Amino acid sequence: MVTAVLGLTDAIEGDGVGGGFLTAGFWSLVLGAVAGTAALAVPRRALVAAQYALAFAGPLLAALD
């Protein structure tokens, strides 16, 4: 949600073009969802840690854009 808000704010206030960091932020959320789904099938601590790291990286990367 925060990533989408930051992306929309950047589109309205900025030049209207999403940069590489915004794209990377959305992809990190997608990869976090994949890691979470994999953690449901095969419970591993590394997958859960990766899911949380990617969830926090999404808004951070979007804010850098």
Side-chain angles (χ1 to χ4, degrees):
M1 178 83 169
V2 175
T3 306
V5 169
L6 288 171
L8 290 173
T9 303
D10 184 45
I12 292 170
E13 293 177 354
D15 57 358
V17 177
F21 283 118
L22 183 62
T23 304
F26 279 117
W27 273 107
S28 73
L29 294 178
V30 170
L31 293 174
V34 170
T37 304
L40 287 173
V42 182
R44 300 274 186 234
R45 288 184 184 180
L47 288 174
V48 174
Q51 179 186 10
Y52 279 106
L54 289 167
F56 287 119
L60 180 68
L61 288 169
L64 289 175
D65 188 28

